[in-house]
Amino acid sequence: MYEIKTMNNIAQAGLNVLSSKGIMVNVEAENPDALLIRSAKIHDLEFGDRLLAVGRAGVGVDNVPIQRCTDAGIAVFNAAGANAQAVVELAICSLILASRNIMDGAFWAKSLAGRENIDGEVEAGKKNYVGPEIMGKTLGIIGLGNIGSRIANAAVGLGMDVIGYDPYMSVESAWRISSEVRHAEDMATVFRQADYILIQLHLTDKTRGMLGADAFRQMKDGVRIINLARGGLVDTDAILAAIAAGKVARYVTDFPDDKLIGAKGVVAFPHLGASTPESEEKCAVMAAQELADYLMNGTTKNSVNLPDVNLDRAGEGRLCVIHDNVPRMINSFLEIISAQNMNVEHMINKARGDIAYTIIDVGSPVTKEMADDIRAMDHVRRVRVL
């Protein structure tokens, strides 16, 4: 029986997925087969020798040591797309908050408590919180993935002119996105044309600080910036300077820090992007399903560090090998299998950069000798027999 350790409160629907498949959930497990987490930071966690996978009931995996997991042959999964609706709804809210000075107005209205002439003060003071409508304005979206493309469609429905940039847009996102969304050849085009700019990218070494001083110089005066993806995508010092200079009218972000909290022109949420009961449940269910499928079948759908591999079962034994993406590995596996006088019923191999993953179904149960021979090969990181 497989054992999974949870390190955060996980929605019961996700735990039910595991129990329905005979997988034990144990928050006290010392050497589990997998970890199911939300926000727990595991960079400094010592991994047991049985650990096969980490499931993140959410999208971002900043709290997981991806390279260390990959080196050890540990698959990492996230719940890509499970929180999409929640983020899209928050994005629409953010567009309104970026435009209409609702937050400042609400705080001011709260300060009127106990006054004698509230109606009069409201009528006299509301002019200080005027803001433009979004209809007819241009929204620029950087990153047209699962969430970005849905935001684009929603904004079109609200009467906005939408322009997007994403050189890596998937075929699935391309099919989903409205034909009314204009595609920019580069980010500079988005910067020049957009009245509102929303960034929806993963945080990497290349994207960190992407919206910085140079980017702001290329934008329209009074542009409004929305960041619900990752705080590090926007240079905090640069955007505060741009607000002070009048280049940026307002910055709406889901990632407050010491400098942003209370700053003029900033609306900061406490990381509410996926904070709906529906989203938390969907993320838990997806992550649990991914872990169960990997543990029981070797499937790596939605893995963030291994290639996406899925193979229908055939034969009596299944061999799963995580290995370096170097020549002759497959031939070497097949030579060892042939030496055991076994037939290969079905197989698949895919690579993702320097790492590769191979599943081989054979006509007889996989022997310990066969698995050990493959495990002893150079460039092999992990061998499992299912």
Side-chain angles (χ1 to χ4, degrees):
M1 177 184 290
Y2 291 111
E3 186 177 51
I4 290 181
K5 179 176 183 176
T6 57
M7 299 182 66
N8 299 106
N9 290 327
I10 303 297
Q12 188 61 45
L15 303 181
N16 291 344
V17 168
L18 299 173
S19 61
S20 71
K21 297 178 182 296
I23 296 173
M24 179 185 296
V25 176
N26 181 3
V27 297
E28 303 296 335
E30 295 183 0
N31 192 9
D33 298 290
L35 300 174
L36 179 54
I37 65 174
R38 288 176 60 201
S39 58
K41 294 178 172 61
I42 62 172
H43 285 273
D44 298 325
L45 184 68
E46 184 176 347
F47 295 153
D49 58 0
R50 284 175 48 190
L51 190 65
L52 300 170
V54 176
R56 163 79 164 93
V59 179
V61 288
D62 308 51
N63 54 329
V64 181
I66 302 297
Q67 190 58 55
R68 179 156 71 99
C69 289
T70 305
D71 292 343
I74 297 169
V76 180
F77 298 89
N78 70 350
N83 65 355
Q85 183 60 33
V87 178
V88 171
E89 291 182 6
L90 188 62
I92 300 306
C93 172
S94 298
L95 278 170
I96 304 301
L97 292 178
S99 229
R100 309 284 294 275
N101 200 0
I102 294 171
M103 293 297 291
D104 287 347
F107 287 132
W108 175 75
K110 190 175 182 179
S111 73
L112 299 179
R115 304 283 186 90
E116 293 184 359
N117 183 26
I118 291 179
D119 288 348
E121 292 201 47
V122 165
E123 288 304 313
K126 66 181 183 181
K127 62 180 179 295
N128 297 315
Y129 305 101
V130 172
E133 298 175 5
I134 62 173
M135 186 174 182
K137 307 301 192 304
T138 298
L139 169 64
I141 300 178
I142 301 171
L144 293 169
N146 185 28
I147 293 176
S149 59
R150 296 185 191 203
I151 295 171
N153 291 347
V156 167
L158 291 170
M160 300 191 79
D161 177 27
V162 182
I163 182 170
Y165 171 73
D166 191 337
Y168 307 108
M169 185 166 60
S170 68
V171 173
E172 182 181 355
S173 293
W175 276 108
R176 182 188 301 119
I177 202 163
S178 168
S179 61
E180 294 184 48
V181 176
R182 296 184 290 119
H183 294 273
E185 294 296 325
D186 50 41
M187 281 192 295
T189 301
V190 175
F191 294 160
R192 288 195 304 270
Q193 296 186 17
D195 302 301
Y196 302 74
I197 293 177
L198 183 145
I199 187 166
Q200 191 63 45
L201 299 172
H202 293 295
L203 180 63
T204 67
D205 290 341
K206 290 184 178 180
T207 61
R208 186 177 298 278
M210 177 176 283
L211 293 193
D214 182 61
F216 295 130
R217 279 192 291 270
Q218 300 176 59
M219 298 177 189
K220 291 182 177 181
D221 290 343
V223 66
R224 298 162 194 267
I225 308 295
I226 299 167
N227 174 19
L228 306 179
R230 278 294 178 266
L233 296 169
V234 177
D235 184 314
T236 296
D237 291 334
I239 197 162
L240 290 176
I243 292 172
K247 171 61 73 170
V248 173
R250 189 163 291 120
Y251 177 41
V252 180
T253 179
D254 206 16
F255 305 95
D257 61 29
D258 289 342
K259 295 180 179 179
L260 292 173
I261 293 174
K264 184 178 179 180
V266 175
V267 176
F269 310 132
H271 204 179
L272 297 178
S275 293
T276 67
E278 296 88 349
S279 175
E280 290 180 4
E281 183 169 295
K282 286 185 284 188
C283 285
V285 167
M286 180 178 286
Q289 289 173 335
E290 291 164 352
L291 287 178
D293 208 10
Y294 180 69
L295 293 175
M296 301 172 74
N297 299 305
T299 302
T300 52
K301 182 180 180 181
N302 285 333
S303 173
V304 301
N305 65 335
L306 298 180
D308 190 338
V309 174
N310 182 26
L311 187 69
D312 292 335
R313 288 271 192 166
E316 294 188 36
R318 169 162 285 195
L319 193 66
C320 302
V321 187
I322 300 172
H323 56 93
D324 295 339
N325 184 23
V326 296
R328 294 196 55 78
M329 295 300 293
I330 307 303
N331 289 341
S332 298
F333 300 157
L334 296 179
E335 288 172 4
I336 291 174
I337 293 170
S338 297
Q340 294 286 323
N341 198 30
M342 287 188 182
N343 288 327
V344 173
E345 304 290 340
H346 209 7
M347 69 173 290
I348 187 171
N349 167 266
K350 287 187 180 181
R352 182 174 184 166
D354 296 333
I355 197 79
Y357 184 46
T358 301
I359 299 178
I360 304 175
D361 284 348
V362 292
S364 306
V366 177
T367 65
K368 183 178 183 302
E369 179 184 0
M370 180 195 302
D372 287 343
D373 286 345
I374 293 177
R375 196 172 283 117
M377 291 174 55
D378 291 338
H379 303 294
V380 169
R381 305 191 185 194
R382 197 74 175 249
V383 176
R384 298 178 60 213
V385 177
L386 300 177

